[in-house]
Amino acid sequence: MSVSRIIVFILIIGIFGCKNASPIFKINKGLLVENVTIISASKDGIIDRYIGHVLLDNETILYSGIQKPSVTGTIKNINGEGKFIIPGLIDSHVHLANVAGMTWQNQRDHPELVKSYFNQLPKSYLYYGYTTLIDVNNYAPNIVEKIKNHAIGPDIYTCGQQVQVMNDFMMEMEELPFKDRLEYPFLFDKYNENIHIPDSIDLELHSPQAIVSTIVREQQGIGVKIVYEDESSGFPKSWELPSLNLMRDLVAYAHNEGIPVLMHATSYDAQKFGLEAGIDIFAHSMWNWYKNPEQFLDTEFTKEHQDLLKEIAIRKIGYQLTFRTIYGEVDLFKDNFNADPELVAIYPEAYLNWLNTEEGNWGKQKIIDRAKIIKAINPTLFNFLRAQFESDEAMFSGIQQVFIQRMNTVAKYLADNDANLLFGTDGVAMNMSTNPPGYNGFLEMQHWVNAGISLEKIFIAATINNANAFHIGDKYGTIEKGKIANLVLLDQDPLQNIAAYDQINSVIVRGENYPRNTLSANQND
């Protein structure tokens, strides 16, 4: 045999030998999930699945592959046969400082119940597989730090303090005196001639550059959130909107810092504005379609709506559907929502009992009372709506159903056009008890299914899409070597049935394995 043939023969043996040999690892503190169906997506959103093994060392994924690794060191084994392992789920739109079911006055009156709620909160998210949370605008560092300091809980990020231009929608709704607004870290819009700020205020501190710098450096924010709310919501506009040039400046400075810009934008005009401004993520679906009060209930999906959404899809702008924002209100009118047996695992017993008292059922009446607000500020719209419905309750039920129909239309259209859908729940929106932490995510997933979105797209939205959109894809979103060991072990296939996300065997958080029952408010060891 010639020397060249010998060399080729040796190379062939080496190649096939390496492929079939078990990889060898020496670890300090490990966890090996064996013979499990691994489901993970690539950066391009292509789902890969195979039966293999996942090896963790402390908080890090060390290996994922078909060949069983050979390991030396301290290790625990989990038999994954017949089970499915996925990346930990990400909810990219939460408000952790809100208390599901309690007004601020309720919280002052029942401090022990509030304490029990927050003690359970981290586990409730983990109970449904949410190992990473992004709080988009409830800047409450003291509360968030307390949640982070729990022994068991998800990884938590925030977008710092929500950005507000002077005299914007939020300031108007809160009826803040002008002197109080000046003390707020507002964003000064130098392009808006209607804004006049006293010479005593240092406007450099209120520039886009300064605001973004504060969010990144002082507040450790991973995104910038701003509101664009126009009169299509039913309010006659009396507030200031950010100018297009200001938004472009804000986006530029955020991008210089390597973070995305999110916009609360629920109308056609708002999302058109966001598209022109170059924002990265829409924080809600488009459920307000028309400014004309007489079209408030129309559901015609016009070419203008379609063209706008098509462009959003083409540009891969992140899109959070947040069905639970509206469905949470719908569920307030269900007398049996708090009787849902799933809530026993989410809310401490005493807290759940309180939610079923008369005091705990304030949410429904608050929505009905909006009729008085609409009548006072927009009598034209109120008269039009009341002519369509026999009662205030029926009116809001009708409005909610219209919004849901529109959201279903938007969601399906975006999904069919391969948009960059991001999974977020807007929980806990407006302190609603019907946005239960963790369980809210499972309910949101069911709304996606009902809208006609595939299980594959739901999986991608809640994992790799969320991670990439917030620039944390190097840590989360896939099962890969070097990423943080946040994983969910399921008893059913999530690509076959949405119910699999409620059939969790255990949740792995930074390498520690927690059987699901140990995370329940009704813990059963």
Side-chain angles (χ1 to χ4, degrees), residues 44 63 229 366 384 517:
D44 300 324
Y63 168 81
E229 187 74 51
K366 182 179 179 180
F384 168 75
N517 66 297

PDB file of all heavy atoms in Angstrom, residues 44 63 229 366 384 517:
ATOM      1  N   ASP A  44     -32.107  31.426  12.460  1.00  0.00           N
ATOM      2  CA  ASP A  44     -33.009  31.753  11.355  1.00  0.00           C
ATOM      3  C   ASP A  44     -34.434  31.264  11.602  1.00  0.00           C
ATOM      4  O   ASP A  44     -35.295  31.389  10.720  1.00  0.00           O
ATOM      5  CB  ASP A  44     -32.482  31.138  10.053  1.00  0.00           C
ATOM      6  CG  ASP A  44     -31.098  31.666   9.690  1.00  0.00           C
ATOM      7  OD1 ASP A  44     -30.858  32.856   9.942  1.00  0.00           O
ATOM      8  OD2 ASP A  44     -30.285  30.889   9.167  1.00  0.00           O
ATOM      9  N   TYR A  63     -23.235  20.787  26.602  1.00  0.00           N
ATOM     10  CA  TYR A  63     -23.306  19.929  25.419  1.00  0.00           C
ATOM     11  C   TYR A  63     -24.754  19.602  25.107  1.00  0.00           C
ATOM     12  O   TYR A  63     -25.571  19.426  26.004  1.00  0.00           O
ATOM     13  CB  TYR A  63     -22.519  18.639  25.661  1.00  0.00           C
ATOM     14  CG  TYR A  63     -22.754  17.555  24.631  1.00  0.00           C
ATOM     15  CD1 TYR A  63     -22.099  17.583  23.404  1.00  0.00           C
ATOM     16  CD2 TYR A  63     -23.641  16.507  24.883  1.00  0.00           C
ATOM     17  CE1 TYR A  63     -22.323  16.591  22.449  1.00  0.00           C
ATOM     18  CE2 TYR A  63     -23.869  15.512  23.943  1.00  0.00           C
ATOM     19  CZ  TYR A  63     -23.207  15.552  22.722  1.00  0.00           C
ATOM     20  OH  TYR A  63     -23.430  14.592  21.788  1.00  0.00           O
ATOM     21  N   GLU A 229     -50.193  57.214  21.585  1.00  0.00           N
ATOM     22  CA  GLU A 229     -51.637  56.951  21.726  1.00  0.00           C
ATOM     23  C   GLU A 229     -52.385  58.110  21.083  1.00  0.00           C
ATOM     24  O   GLU A 229     -52.259  59.253  21.509  1.00  0.00           O
ATOM     25  CB  GLU A 229     -52.010  56.844  23.202  1.00  0.00           C
ATOM     26  CG  GLU A 229     -53.440  56.414  23.462  1.00  0.00           C
ATOM     27  CD  GLU A 229     -53.675  54.938  23.185  1.00  0.00           C
ATOM     28  OE1 GLU A 229     -52.909  54.099  23.694  1.00  0.00           O
ATOM     29  OE2 GLU A 229     -54.643  54.636  22.450  1.00  0.00           O
ATOM     30  N   LYS A 366     -65.045  48.700  37.218  1.00  0.00           N
ATOM     31  CA  LYS A 366     -64.155  49.740  36.709  1.00  0.00           C
ATOM     32  C   LYS A 366     -64.303  49.879  35.198  1.00  0.00           C
ATOM     33  O   LYS A 366     -64.305  51.002  34.661  1.00  0.00           O
ATOM     34  CB  LYS A 366     -62.708  49.430  37.072  1.00  0.00           C
ATOM     35  CG  LYS A 366     -61.725  50.499  36.605  1.00  0.00           C
ATOM     36  CD  LYS A 366     -60.310  50.166  37.018  1.00  0.00           C
ATOM     37  CE  LYS A 366     -59.327  51.242  36.530  1.00  0.00           C
ATOM     38  NZ  LYS A 366     -57.934  50.946  36.927  1.00  0.00           N
ATOM     39  N   PHE A 384     -73.061  57.357  19.894  1.00  0.00           N
ATOM     40  CA  PHE A 384     -73.028  56.378  18.800  1.00  0.00           C
ATOM     41  C   PHE A 384     -73.004  54.953  19.358  1.00  0.00           C
ATOM     42  O   PHE A 384     -73.761  54.079  18.901  1.00  0.00           O
ATOM     43  CB  PHE A 384     -71.794  56.616  17.922  1.00  0.00           C
ATOM     44  CG  PHE A 384     -71.527  55.495  16.960  1.00  0.00           C
ATOM     45  CD1 PHE A 384     -72.302  55.331  15.821  1.00  0.00           C
ATOM     46  CD2 PHE A 384     -70.502  54.575  17.196  1.00  0.00           C
ATOM     47  CE1 PHE A 384     -72.062  54.279  14.940  1.00  0.00           C
ATOM     48  CE2 PHE A 384     -70.258  53.528  16.330  1.00  0.00           C
ATOM     49  CZ  PHE A 384     -71.044  53.377  15.193  1.00  0.00           C
ATOM     50  N   ASN A 517     -44.356  20.409  40.545  1.00  0.00           N
ATOM     51  CA  ASN A 517     -45.226  20.506  41.723  1.00  0.00           C
ATOM     52  C   ASN A 517     -44.579  21.324  42.846  1.00  0.00           C
ATOM     53  O   ASN A 517     -45.262  21.907  43.674  1.00  0.00           O
ATOM     54  CB  ASN A 517     -45.609  19.117  42.237  1.00  0.00           C
ATOM     55  CG  ASN A 517     -44.407  18.348  42.769  1.00  0.00           C
ATOM     56  OD1 ASN A 517     -43.487  18.048  42.024  1.00  0.00           O
ATOM     57  ND2 ASN A 517     -44.417  18.031  44.049  1.00  0.00           N
TER      58      ASN A 517
END
